[in-house]
Amino acid sequence: MSILKQERTLDSMWWNRLLLVVMVFSFLACESTSRYFRNRMYDTTDLVTIGIEKKSAGVSLFLWCIGGGLKIEDQTRGFGLRDGHLGIYEISDGSRLGISPLLSNDSPKNKLGNSFFLINSSGHFQYRPIPRSKEKDYQILNLLTIFPIASIPNSKQNVTRCNSPLKVETSIAFYYGMRVGMNFSELFDFIVGFIGFDPLDDDEVKGE
């Protein structure tokens, strides 16, 4: 009888350990699956721009770093969904373009966020971004709407950069206005994310 009891005890311990292992693997698989679907959900918030803005006047249309219009936005602040950030954002961080010594610091043409067909600029600066979107700020500067200007290394001038994602975005305003757009860089990131790729490096990973 004692031998049978020992065998039953050993069997019970073995089954308990097996059950524990199964539970651990189930938990890990569930956590991984949950993170996967959470990342796909977050990716959908990166796809579109929908924002309400103030202190803005005019019309603009940008595709990547080309485009522009007739727009004053150097003090524009908006609220909405833009580049994965839901909340307050600004078009300009107060930078001066610094592309010509003929433009004074106070000239509207020398301020980031304004567009005059000849010189066009815009940007995205988040207020209290979440970790996954904090690297998504960008600046745009071009001449004649079709000649983007990249950053100048080691320049003493405060030149803006052409580091916008591949997106199309338009806005119209008369002090208050609206901005809408579609981000094709994020669309690609969203599609390949289903097979485990993260080209924009904005997925939540284990340990975060």
Side-chain angles (χ1 to χ4, degrees):
M1 292 293 293
S2 60
I3 294 177
L4 287 176
K5 287 183 179 180
Q6 289 178 0
E7 289 178 349
R8 289 174 180 172
T9 301
L10 289 173
D11 287 343
S12 178
M13 290 175 60
W14 187 87
W15 280 109
N16 287 338
R17 290 176 181 175
L18 179 60
L19 180 61
L20 179 61
V21 170
V22 170
M23 290 177 63
V24 169
F25 275 102
S26 297
F27 172 78
L28 292 175
C30 181
E31 195 275 338
S32 178
T33 301
S34 175
R35 185 170 59 248
Y36 171 84
F37 284 106
R38 191 161 58 244
N39 282 325
R40 302 292 71 74
M41 180 189 70
Y42 287 150
D43 280 346
T44 63
T45 67
D46 300 329
L47 301 179
V48 298
T49 296
I50 303 176
I52 302 297
E53 301 173 348
K54 69 176 183 177
K55 294 187 177 180
S56 177
V59 179
S60 68
L61 172 65
F62 283 93
L63 171 60
W64 179 58
C65 291
I66 62 176
L70 187 59
K71 197 76 182 290
I72 301 294
E73 295 187 306
D74 58 282
Q75 296 185 28
T76 297
R77 174 171 285 195
F79 179 86
L81 181 62
R82 192 180 190 217
D83 296 283
H85 173 70
L86 178 60
I88 297 172
Y89 62 86
E90 295 178 337
I91 303 302
S92 173
D93 64 349
S95 295
R96 300 294 189 269
L97 303 183
I99 60 174
S100 172
L102 300 178
L103 295 176
S104 68
N105 283 338
D106 294 330
S107 171
K109 294 181 180 179
N110 196 32
K111 295 180 180 180
L112 174 62
N114 298 335
S115 294
F116 298 95
F117 293 109
L118 173 62
I119 301 174
N120 304 276
S121 64
S122 187
H124 177 60
F125 302 91
Q126 305 163 69
Y127 180 71
R128 294 183 178 178
I130 60 176
R132 72 177 303 275
S133 70
K134 65 181 180 181
E135 303 297 329
K136 295 181 182 290
D137 287 357
Y138 62 83
Q139 298 173 321
I140 293 172
L141 174 61
N142 71 61
L143 299 178
L144 297 173
T145 72
I146 58 175
F147 299 105
I149 296 180
S151 60
I152 302 177
N154 303 318
S155 172
K156 294 181 180 180
Q157 299 287 345
N158 190 10
V159 179
T160 59
R161 299 166 292 171
C162 174
N163 62 342
S164 171
L166 181 57
K167 62 186 293 188
V168 59
E169 193 174 82
T170 185
S171 64
I172 183 170
F174 185 72
Y175 190 82
Y176 289 102
M178 185 172 186
R179 180 178 301 270
V180 295
M182 178 73 182
N183 193 320
F184 296 101
S185 299
E186 296 289 0
L187 178 60
F188 177 74
D189 183 71
F190 170 73
I191 293 172
V192 299
F194 283 101
I195 55 177
F197 291 102
D198 182 25
L200 297 183
D201 194 29
D202 59 0
D203 279 359
E204 176 186 326
V205 297
K206 186 178 180 179
E208 288 186 347

